[in-house]
Amino acid sequence: MKVEGKVWRYVDTDVIIPARYLNTFDPKELAKHCMEDIDKNFSSEVKAGDIMVGGKNFGCGSSREHAPVAIKASGVPVVIAAGFARIFYRNGINIGLPLLEIGDDVEKIHAGDILEIDTAAGTIKNKTTGDTFKSQPLPDFVQDIAKTGGLINYIKEYGDFKN
Amino acid sequence: MGMNMSEKILARHAGLDKVEPGQIVVCPLDLVMANDITGPPAIKEFEKIGKPVFDPEKIALIPDHFQPAKDIKSADLAKSLREFSRKNKIKHYYEAGRVGIEHVILPEFGIVAPGMLTIGADSHTCTYGALNGFSTGVGTTDLAVGMATGKSWFKVPEVVNVHLTGKKPADINGKDVILTLIGKIGVDGALYKSLEFSGEGVKELTMTDRFTVSNMAIEAGGKAGIFPFDEVTKKYVDEHVKKNYEPVAPDADAKYCMTVEINLSDLKPVVAFPHLPENVKKVEDIGEIKIDQVVIGSCTNGRFEDLQIAAEIFKNRKVNPNVRCIIVPGSQAIYKAAMHAGLIDIFIDAECVVSTPTCGPCMGGYMGILSAGERCVSTTNRNFVGRMGHVDSEIYLAGPHVAAASAVLGKIATPSEVK
Ligand code: SF4
């Protein structure tokens, strides 16, 4: 998947979706409150195709899949971070939201930069600064999940885990 | 090269002689768990797959977060869990009056046992590592797929060896141990890794201490927090578990990516400052910090021993007039035991609020929400911005001893300051 979009930059966070909204699982409803505790403007100003960039341990804390769902429903096609919290990472993969880890290089991306990303190859070009970055390629098993569009589709397609 | 406990449990379940860190394995699961927040969306995803549940005996659906329902939406969530459980004859579904906080009742009801592989759609599922199992938190989709296939995928983690030595002083409990560890290694110190506990100091920890420690493995980023099986575990398991189980022990030459040493005799009562569990300080070093609320409960510290520790401090004393103290036993059995031991009398005489078992205030659900600028000392596990209410409120994490002493003195205090 190739995408190009404007960057929303955050540091480490657990406030992707505050707990007070967890009594719904409607993606559109969740998107309305995405990031609101640290950035009131996010949900009204984010555009489909915009890219979220985070620091280390991004998405730490709760296992709430509401968090990547809220991000995906905001129109964000990919999240880049220095590193992701484990459950958030798994959930992202499972719902088909590509997550790219680039370590300290994340410091070279700023709010408002325009990025061009090839998620399959793991390459990121910062069109504003001219820098390019590479993330770790995803393991084959994880790529299979991504190709089918998430774990539910994967299981529907293969009936079970392949191995 | 031998295997550590995480590798042994994953290898055994995957049907392999050996696994290595980084390897992806697909394993059959012994238990799949969700609650009233994570269960309903998982049920929706599950229904898209179009398969029956893999085994109604190996699924636990626990309505504990917003229950008894705090509002109509929460009531709808509980209803969805209830209807699904009845329709699919889910064995471990419990109504209000029988239920408690998931990570307290699953061990108490003997549903989790040593050597088991458990996934739960709740990040504190790592609690059952205290019982020598590999259990880890997952999201909705993993849960749905787990309910349908009875399997999940795992990346075999690297393991941090937490080596415990020394004697545990009388004013120290599991919360001081885990907060001290998180203070040392940070909230991402065990990211993508398991914590495994070893050393002579392990036997110093009661089962309650171990549940508290394993519970907060996730606060160091950990995938699991596993204790070895010993007499303490065996005694607990003999009292609670009715089924067969197979404990694991690490090989003498097991591989660890890092070893952290903790000498229990050096520990002091600690508190984690807002807004991260790694902001750990010794209570004796912090000066005067006035507080508005105290919460004693949750899957971290809502067990009988925690209530006993608090009651010792509250006995013949009162909560400071500027403070409200909310006590939430983790299960009906704990509530009843506390009542019979006279602890509930002590709490009410001290002018505490005593609640029915629920997650309640821990995640800002209901019953103890903080207003702007308010400070709370809480025995829960997270002090993130807005976790218990207003984004400008503050949460200080501590054990039941510090929480109770703070409630009495109206400021964050050690038990020895309460005279
Ligand atoms: S008590 Fe708190 S941390 Fe534990 S399961 Fe409930 S909400 Fe989660």
Side-chain angles (χ1 to χ4, degrees), chain A residues 33-118:
Chain A
H33 303 291
C34 190
M35 300 319 240
E36 78 173 25
D37 281 355
I38 49 166
D39 185 349
K40 291 206 169 45
N41 300 328
F42 179 78
S43 67
S44 55
E45 291 179 11
V46 67
K47 297 216 166 42
D50 282 0
I51 292 153
M52 194 179 284
V53 177
K56 60 171 191 159
N57 207 6
F58 191 82
C60 76
S62 160
S63 67
R64 58 187 74 148
E65 200 160 301
H66 305 67
V69 167
I71 293 174
K72 196 178 176 198
S74 300
V76 172
V78 51
V79 183
I80 300 168
F84 293 98
R86 189 192 70 83
I87 303 177
F88 182 86
Y89 186 71
R90 248 190 113 86
N91 290 344
I93 290 168
N94 286 342
I95 66 157
L97 174 68
L99 304 174
L100 300 179
E101 260 183 349
I102 59 168
D104 292 341
D105 277 345
V106 84
E107 299 307 329
K108 297 178 197 151
I109 304 176
H110 309 98
D113 287 359
I114 303 292
L115 302 186
E116 190 183 276
I117 302 170
D118 183 334

Side-chain angles (χ1 to χ4, degrees), chain A residues 12 14-15 18-26 29 37-38 40 56-57 60-66 83-87 89-91 93-95 101 139-142 145 150-152 155-156 159-163, chain B residues 24 26 37-38 41 44-46 48-49 51 66 70-71 73-74 77 120-123 136-142 144-145 149 151-155 187-188 191-192 218 221-223 363 382 384-387 389 391:
Chain A
D12 343 340
D14 177 56
V15 292
R20 55 187 180 278
Y21 301 119
L22 295 188
N23 48 14
T24 174
F25 200 68
D26 174 10
E29 197 53 37
D37 281 355
I38 49 166
K40 291 206 169 45
K56 60 171 191 159
N57 207 6
C60 76
S62 160
S63 67
R64 58 187 74 148
E65 200 160 301
H66 305 67
F84 293 98
R86 189 192 70 83
I87 303 177
Y89 186 71
R90 248 190 113 86
N91 290 344
I93 290 168
N94 286 342
I95 66 157
E101 260 183 349
D140 290 347
F141 173 79
V142 172
I145 295 177
L151 190 60
I152 298 287
I155 295 292
K156 273 166 68 175
D160 203 332
F161 286 95
K162 276 202 278 180
N163 49 341
Chain B
I24 289 188
V26 173
I37 290 186
T38 57
K44 279 202 184 131
E45 294 301 305
F46 169 85
K48 288 186 198 158
I49 300 171
K51 280 179 167 238
F66 291 154
K70 72 173 181 113
D71 56 20
K73 277 186 180 169
S74 312
L77 290 174
D122 188 278
S123 57
T136 194
V138 298
T140 313
T141 303
D142 276 317
V145 168
T149 64
K151 292 180 201 156
S152 198
W153 63 275
F154 298 90
K155 190 163 154 189
V187 291
D188 56 358
L191 191 59
Y192 301 126
I218 178 72
K223 182 167 186 160
M363 46 104 66
R382 291 196 173 132
F384 300 140
V385 173
R387 168 88 177 176
V391 290

Side-chain angles (χ1 to χ4, degrees), chain B residues 65 101-103 122 124 298-299 359 362-363 381 387:
Chain B
H65 275 61
I101 300 172
E102 52 203 36
H103 309 308
D122 188 278
H124 293 101
S298 86
C299 60
C359 291
C362 169
M363 46 104 66
N381 44 45
R387 168 88 177 176

Side-chain angles (χ1 to χ4, degrees), chain B residues 74-142:
Chain B
S74 312
D76 293 344
L77 290 174
K79 189 169 157 192
S80 131
L81 207 65
R82 179 180 303 122
E83 286 177 348
F84 179 83
S85 300
R86 284 185 190 149
K87 185 170 136 208
N88 292 285
K89 305 203 163 45
I90 300 301
K91 183 168 175 199
H92 302 297
Y93 169 79
Y94 307 94
E95 272 308 333
R98 302 177 188 101
V99 80
I101 300 172
E102 52 203 36
H103 309 308
V104 176
I105 63 169
L106 261 55
E108 192 183 281
F109 292 3
I111 301 169
V112 283
M116 275 177 61
L117 179 60
T118 302
I119 61 167
D122 188 278
S123 57
H124 293 101
T125 302
C126 51
T127 309
Y128 321 133
L131 284 176
N132 188 243
F134 189 98
S135 60
T136 194
V138 298
T140 313
T141 303
D142 276 317

Side-chain angles (χ1 to χ4, degrees), chain B residues 75-385:
Chain B
D76 293 344
L77 290 174
K79 189 169 157 192
S80 131
L81 207 65
R82 179 180 303 122
E83 286 177 348
F84 179 83
S85 300
R86 284 185 190 149
K87 185 170 136 208
N88 292 285
K89 305 203 163 45
I90 300 301
K91 183 168 175 199
H92 302 297
Y93 169 79
Y94 307 94
E95 272 308 333
R98 302 177 188 101
V99 80
I101 300 172
E102 52 203 36
H103 309 308
V104 176
I105 63 169
L106 261 55
E108 192 183 281
F109 292 3
I111 301 169
V112 283
M116 275 177 61
L117 179 60
T118 302
I119 61 167
D122 188 278
S123 57
H124 293 101
T125 302
C126 51
T127 309
Y128 321 133
L131 284 176
N132 188 243
F134 189 98
S135 60
T136 194
V138 298
T140 313
T141 303
D142 276 317
L143 212 278
V145 168
M147 287 201 295
T149 64
K151 292 180 201 156
S152 198
W153 63 275
F154 298 90
K155 190 163 154 189
V156 179
E158 292 187 311
V159 173
V160 177
N161 174 23
V162 182
H163 189 245
L164 304 173
T165 53
K167 286 238 163 294
K168 184 179 73 162
D171 64 344
I172 292 301
N173 57 57
K175 194 61 160 281
D176 299 304
V177 176
I178 187 64
L179 287 179
T180 301
L181 174 65
I182 297 167
K184 268 183 187 223
I185 67 174
V187 291
D188 56 358
L191 191 59
Y192 301 126
K193 303 182 174 86
S194 281
L195 298 173
E196 292 190 10
F197 299 88
S198 65
E200 278 299 289
V202 167
K203 68 174 186 331
E204 291 284 301
L205 303 184
T206 64
M207 230 23 253
T208 297
D209 288 330
R210 297 179 192 191
F211 282 125
T212 304
V213 169
S214 293
N215 174 269
M216 288 189 71
I218 178 72
E219 266 63 60
K223 182 167 186 160
I226 308 179
F227 274 88
F229 181 87
D230 64 5
E231 290 90 75
V232 176
T233 340
K234 182 162 187 315
K235 182 163 181 294
Y236 185 92
V237 171
D238 284 348
E239 284 165 13
H240 294 89
V241 177
K242 303 248 152 37
K243 56 191 170 192
N244 294 331
Y245 61 87
E246 211 181 325
V248 286
D251 290 326
D253 58 348
K255 207 165 122 195
Y256 302 98
C257 62
M258 176 168 99
T259 295
V260 184
E261 297 283 346
I262 292 190
N263 185 338
L264 298 173
S265 37
D266 294 343
L267 296 188
K268 297 275 185 210
V270 289
V271 56
F273 273 49
H275 294 285
L276 280 180
E278 70 182 17
N279 298 337
V280 176
K281 297 185 181 156
K282 290 181 186 147
V283 178
E284 61 187 30
D285 293 343
I286 61 175
E288 181 162 305
I289 298 177
K290 289 223 164 15
I291 56 165
D292 306 286
Q293 179 169 301
V294 167
V295 171
I296 299 175
S298 86
C299 60
T300 317
N301 286 112
R303 295 184 181 79
F304 181 70
E305 201 175 292
D306 298 311
L307 301 186
Q308 262 181 326
I309 292 171
E312 260 167 50
I313 293 168
F314 283 126
K315 192 160 192 182
N316 299 323
R317 295 196 178 91
K318 296 232 183 275
V319 171
N320 183 281
N322 299 321
V323 175
R324 54 213 184 251
C325 178
I326 301 165
I327 297 188
V328 193
S331 71
Q332 291 284 86
I334 293 168
Y335 200 158
K336 193 170 162 192
M339 193 169 71
H340 285 296
L343 310 187
I344 304 292
D345 279 336
I346 294 175
F347 296 143
I348 293 177
D349 290 343
E351 299 172 346
C352 300
V353 174
V354 184
S355 155
T356 193
T358 174
C359 291
C362 169
M363 46 104 66
Y366 65 138
M367 259 192 11
I369 305 299
L370 298 170
S371 173
E374 288 192 319
R375 287 205 187 107
C376 179
V377 174
S378 181
T379 69
T380 54
N381 44 45
R382 291 196 173 132
N383 54 355
F384 300 140
V385 173

